[in-house]
Amino acid sequence: MGEMFCFQCEQTVGCSGCTGRAGVCGKEAETALLQDELTGALVALAEMVRQKPGVRTDAVDDLAMESLFATLTNVDFDDAEIKRLTECVHAEKSRIAETSGVVNAPDFLMRNLWDAQEDIRSLKSLILFGLRGVAAYAYHAAVLEYRDEAVSAFIYEGLAAIASDMGQDELLPLVLKVGEVNLACMEMLDKANTETFGTPSPTEVTMSVEPGPFIVVTGHDLHDLKLLLEQTQGSGVNVYTHGEILPAHAYPELKKYENLKGNFGTAWQNQRKEFDSLPAPILFTTNCLMPPAPSYSDRVYTTGVVAYPEMAHIGADKDFSALIEQAKELGGYAEEQTFAGVNGGTTLMTGFGHGAVLSVADTVVDAVKQGAISHFFLVGGCDGAKPGRNYYTDFVKQAPEDSIILTLACGKYRFNDLDLGTIGGLPRIMDMGQCNDAYSAIRVAVALAEAFECGVNDLPLTLVLSWYEQKAVCILLTLLHLGIKDIYLGPTLPAFVSPGVLSVLVDAFGIRPISTPEEDLAAICG
């Protein structure tokens, strides 16, 4: 077995890449190499599909989405499952070769990408990692039976480019096309979620846990949560959200379940501490799984694409009975427990998606025109463990009192329990939802630009983003595709963005690394 090379997330060793026997995320070298083999097989599959698009089926598209999703950071640590997916890709390649006359393409060797010229490697990595994020969102939409032909087709186009001999001038437009396609994908997922679960509305969520048995659900998948709520209804087992699934409380078709009680804990990187003595099982529905500590590993359940060796996995039948029975056996807390966020707050607000915000658009526009609101900040993205992320807490605390903070994804846990008051009846912190709900932020920004008859870049709006994994990459590419400039990005810049490519992005879009809250606010507010 060789040594791994992985630099797709923010917390790589030395901000350059994880090598040797294991990554910072806990992924072993063998697992990383197997994920490279899976990716190489997908690239070859894409080359074949591109030759004869008619060989595509929903099953092939689903396999490509699931396989890409499995290679995201903190999703699939199970070597056997990764091998199974690779075998499925090989089976599809053989089927296509036998039925279509297309030559069975050899698997692409990912080492050819990692050893490529620096700027070529950087651009292709942006495409690949962005595609992984797109695939995750497409997967969630497909679960709800929503698909977009352009999104599905582009997955193959992007993958095939990894093995191509394209130069920088050809690759850069394709990088931005990842952002364009991701916008369509996020729009599709927004439609899937709202048409299935209703339009989110502002909702206060408690961080207290009632006495009695309960289950904690983490990840992003709203459909899995709904199925669990159905199966626990009337059983005496309550359900609490964790991490990125907090916005579920704002959806009418989910909040109607009386056993959906509140939110437990904070962002994903705190799970080993928060789950340590938890008298309840935990269900992981998507990425954000860390290697479970022995103190709670017997209480971890995975489902969907998420997998970890020797952890209980709930298959496609979505039978949560074992999880429910363990919750009853553990019994939960004997008395109500009140927990707090990182700043001491005991309640959280969520549900400020585009439907809610645009319903009061006139109020927002009037507040700006009258000088009550001076600036909008979108402060959000991924959270993580690396030092320096307290920047986002301090930034929000120091933001002008007449500014509005829009937020989304798990980065909000740095400050979403703060009480910053209101402006004109509007809360100063508005949680727009999960990472994919960046679509809501885009909808709101476009609507404000139309109201003020200006471009988005002319609005009193600044994006201050944190990143960790590949969904953040595709969202950044979407913002660049839309031409949004002067984005502040941190806590560190991606290791896979070469100095040459960074120079292009800085020149074209004004991307800048965060410095200190004081310096950045002074530059923004003048």
Side-chain angles (χ1 to χ4, degrees):
M1 180 183 68
E3 290 192 348
M4 67 181 290
F5 174 75
C6 184
F7 64 169
Q8 69 173 357
C9 85
E10 187 262 337
Q11 293 183 180
T12 56
V13 175
C15 295
S16 59
C18 293
T19 59
R21 310 303 297 175
V24 173
C25 69
K27 181 170 59 179
E28 299 289 338
E30 183 174 357
T31 306
L33 292 169
L34 287 172
Q35 289 184 346
D36 273 0
E37 289 181 15
L38 173 56
T39 304
L42 287 170
V43 170
L45 174 66
E47 290 180 297
M48 296 173 69
V49 168
R50 294 279 291 165
Q51 291 183 55
K52 201 162 187 176
V55 301
R56 274 181 50 214
T57 63
D58 284 350
V60 177
D61 291 350
D62 288 348
L63 176 61
M65 284 188 297
E66 182 179 351
S67 298
L68 276 172
F69 194 174
T71 62
L72 258 76
T73 305
N74 292 41
V75 174
D76 192 342
F77 295 80
D78 190 337
D79 292 355
E81 176 60 16
I82 298 168
K83 289 177 181 177
R84 183 192 70 80
L85 288 170
T86 305
E87 290 170 358
C88 289
V89 175
H90 286 155
E92 284 298 333
K93 287 174 58 187
S94 296
R95 178 190 66 81
I96 292 170
E98 292 170 1
T99 59
S100 69
V102 175
V103 175
N104 196 335
D107 290 356
F108 177 71
L109 296 178
M110 292 300 289
R111 179 52 61 182
N112 292 337
L113 172 58
W114 310 142
D115 292 339
Q117 188 273 335
E118 185 178 51
D119 291 339
I120 297 296
R121 180 180 76 165
S122 181
L123 291 167
K124 287 185 175 181
S125 293
L126 275 166
I127 293 168
L128 175 60
F129 302 155
L131 277 178
R132 288 175 173 170
V134 172
Y137 294 144
Y139 176 92
H140 289 306
V143 166
L144 298 174
E145 302 298 331
Y146 284 73
R147 299 174 184 276
D148 184 309
E149 168 59 23
V151 173
S152 298
F154 181 73
I155 286 177
Y156 301 101
E157 180 183 351
L159 281 170
I162 305 305
S164 74
D165 58 359
M166 289 183 181
Q168 295 181 48
D169 291 343
E170 296 169 289
L171 288 170
L172 185 58
L174 199 57
V175 167
L176 296 179
K177 189 173 179 181
V178 174
E180 178 185 2
V181 171
N182 185 59
L183 178 61
C185 191
M186 290 194 297
E187 181 179 11
M188 171 177 63
L189 182 53
D190 176 82
K191 182 179 181 182
N193 285 338
T194 54
E195 291 187 352
T196 304
F197 305 113
T199 300
S201 60
T203 303
E204 185 177 59
V205 183
T206 180
M207 295 185 75
S208 296
V209 178
E210 296 180 7
F214 66 99
I215 295 168
V216 171
V217 183
T218 189
H220 301 73
D221 200 286
L222 301 178
H223 183 61
D224 282 338
L225 175 62
K226 182 176 187 292
L227 295 176
L228 180 64
L229 289 169
E230 290 175 348
Q231 292 180 39
T232 51
Q233 196 171 25
S235 69
V237 176
N238 291 325
V239 176
Y240 292 82
T241 57
H242 173 272
E244 277 271 53
I245 212 161
L246 164 66
H249 292 274
Y251 286 91
E253 291 302 308
L254 295 174
K255 67 194 303 182
K256 72 180 183 181
Y257 290 92
E258 294 182 357
N259 55 325
L260 178 61
K261 292 295 185 178
N263 189 76
F264 174 83
T266 53
W268 68 271
Q269 78 278 1
N270 300 319
Q271 65 190 254
R272 288 172 68 93
K273 176 181 178 181
E274 293 174 347
F275 296 162
D276 181 65
S277 57
L278 191 70
I282 308 105
L283 176 64
F284 284 85
T285 64
T286 57
N287 58 310
C288 302
L289 171 67
M290 295 176 72
S295 60
Y296 66 88
S297 60
D298 63 335
R299 293 180 271 119
V300 169
Y301 293 77
T302 62
T303 193
V305 181
V306 194
Y308 196 87
E310 300 180 3
M311 296 295 104
H313 186 79
I314 296 168
D317 62 356
K318 301 295 181 180
D319 180 358
F320 296 117
S321 56
L323 184 67
I324 296 167
E325 288 306 310
Q326 188 177 35
K328 292 178 179 178
E329 292 170 5
L330 291 168
Y333 294 110
E335 299 177 350
E336 180 172 331
Q337 302 292 310
T338 299
F339 298 96
V342 298
N343 301 288
T346 57
T347 61
L348 307 171
M349 286 293 295
T350 190
F352 293 93
H354 61 87
V357 176
L358 294 181
S359 70
V360 294
D362 291 344
T363 302
V364 174
V365 171
D366 288 344
V368 174
K369 289 181 176 179
Q370 294 169 14
I373 296 176
S374 68
H375 208 88
F376 296 89
F377 295 98
L378 175 60
V379 186
C382 307
D383 206 355
K386 184 179 288 186
R389 288 181 180 267
N390 59 324
Y391 166 95
Y392 297 94
T393 309
D394 295 339
F395 186 99
V396 169
K397 287 181 176 179
Q398 296 176 32
E401 292 183 359
D402 58 355
S403 64
I404 293 287
I405 310 295
L406 305 174
T407 190
L408 46 81
C410 63
K412 62 176 170 266
Y413 280 103
R414 293 279 168 171
F415 51 80
N416 65 340
D417 63 321
L418 290 170
D419 182 3
L420 298 186
T422 61
I423 298 177
L426 301 171
R428 282 196 56 216
I429 297 180
M430 298 186 186
D431 174 15
M432 309 192 85
Q434 297 180 340
C435 52
N436 55 283
D437 291 310
Y439 175 72
S440 277
I442 291 167
R443 284 281 302 272
V444 168
V446 170
L448 287 174
E450 291 174 352
F452 290 106
E453 299 181 344
C454 66
V456 171
N457 289 315
D458 299 316
L459 289 171
L461 167 67
T462 303
L463 279 60
V464 184
L465 306 181
S466 54
W467 82 283
Y468 173 73
E469 44 89 335
Q470 296 75 63
K471 285 184 283 185
V473 174
C474 65
I475 290 172
L476 176 63
L477 297 181
T478 293
L479 298 173
L480 299 185
H481 155 71
L482 292 169
I484 295 176
K485 296 184 177 182
D486 300 323
I487 297 171
Y488 286 76
L489 183 63
T492 58
L493 295 178
F496 52 81
V497 175
S498 66
V501 171
L502 179 61
S503 177
V504 171
L505 297 180
V506 169
D507 290 345
F509 302 104
I511 288 180
R512 61 189 71 189
I514 60 172
S515 56
T516 67
E518 295 81 5
E519 292 176 2
D520 292 343
L521 281 167
I524 294 166
C525 300

